[in-house]
Amino acid sequence: QVQLVESGGGLVQAGGSLRLSCAASRTISSISDMYWYRQAPGKQRELVARITNDGTTNYGHSVNGRFTISRGNAENTMYLQMNSLKPEDTGVYYCRAWFLGNFYWGQGTQVTVSS
């Protein structure tokens, strides 16, 4: 079992930055893949970024070049650095982990970007 807790969301003006954190209940070096998803009101949840245990990263087209996913194994935390934020980045951001054949989700953290 893996428990995931997101933090770092908030209200920011367009062009600003936020850093999201996802704290895991176990050593994340044992977690092969970790993800950030987001869900805007009335929309389906979409993949924002992915990182593997060997450091390979993938990004959704809409955030590529602006967001950076990383993992700090020593502190058991995954991060999402979000720069040049746009109003369309608004939504609830969720952490996801793949561990021993199962996916685990955090509760989400709200990000609101004002015009």
Side-chain angles (χ1 to χ4, degrees), residues 15-86:
S17 298
L18 285 173
R19 191 191 193 198
L20 305 184
S21 298
C22 172
S25 63
R26 66 185 305 122
T27 302
I28 65 169
S29 62
S30 65
I31 302 173
S32 295
D33 296 340
M34 299 188 75
Y35 311 78
W36 285 102
Y37 283 77
R38 69 186 181 190
Q39 188 167 20
K43 304 294 184 181
Q44 292 187 341
R45 195 169 296 186
E46 66 172 336
L47 177 64
V48 175
R50 165 185 174 265
I51 187 167
T52 68
N53 202 36
D54 66 4
T56 301
T57 59
N58 302 97
Y59 297 92
H61 177 73
S62 64
V63 308
N64 194 30
R66 299 186 297 120
F67 291 10
T68 303
I69 188 171
S70 62
R71 55 197 298 167
N73 289 350
E75 62 266 36
N76 296 332
T77 303
M78 179 180 65
Y79 304 97
L80 184 69
Q81 178 65 47
M82 305 186 295
N83 299 325
S84 302
L85 283 162
K86 304 174 181 179

